[in-house]
Amino acid sequence: MANTRQARKRALQAEQRRRHNASQRSMVRTHVKRVIKAINTGDHAAAMAEFRTAQRVIDRIADKPAFDKKRAARVKSRLNARIKALAA
């Protein structure tokens, strides 16, 4: 454990940041799961609707340090490819 008051404060801040970032990543995973669930049902319109909402969430979180921009792009690209395959 930290010995100085400053180090204790920094440890507390780091823990708060870790919890917040974990929450943000969890929210992204939840939205991705919703899209995959809609794809698995075979409903293209529902999958597109879920993808649009997930896309907004992913883009918003990717602007923060909790989620890498390239990872966000990769996730969106893969979801979009699955939706296009569903339409075909």
Side-chain angles (χ1 to χ4, degrees):
M1 185 60 196
N3 291 321
T4 64
R5 191 175 84 207
Q6 178 186 5
R8 282 194 297 269
K9 180 179 178 182
R10 296 299 288 166
L12 179 65
Q13 288 174 332
E15 178 62 20
Q16 290 170 340
R17 257 192 323 275
R18 185 191 67 78
R19 286 183 182 163
H20 183 261
N21 289 341
S23 170
Q24 299 293 298
R25 284 189 297 270
S26 176
M27 183 169 50
V28 168
R29 283 193 299 267
T30 300
H31 281 277
V32 168
K33 286 177 189 174
R34 287 180 186 171
V35 175
I36 292 171
K37 186 177 180 182
I39 291 169
N40 289 338
T41 61
D43 187 5
H44 183 264
M48 279 304 295
E50 287 293 341
F51 179 67
R52 282 192 206 99
T53 58
Q55 195 172 15
R56 285 193 287 269
V57 170
I58 292 169
D59 286 337
R60 190 175 69 238
I61 304 306
D63 286 338
K64 300 175 177 79
F67 207 75
D68 185 58
K69 287 181 186 292
K70 291 186 178 182
R71 179 180 176 190
R74 187 171 58 245
V75 167
K76 291 188 301 182
S77 175
R78 287 177 180 171
L79 288 175
N80 195 27
R82 288 179 71 171
I83 291 172
K84 283 185 179 179
L86 178 68

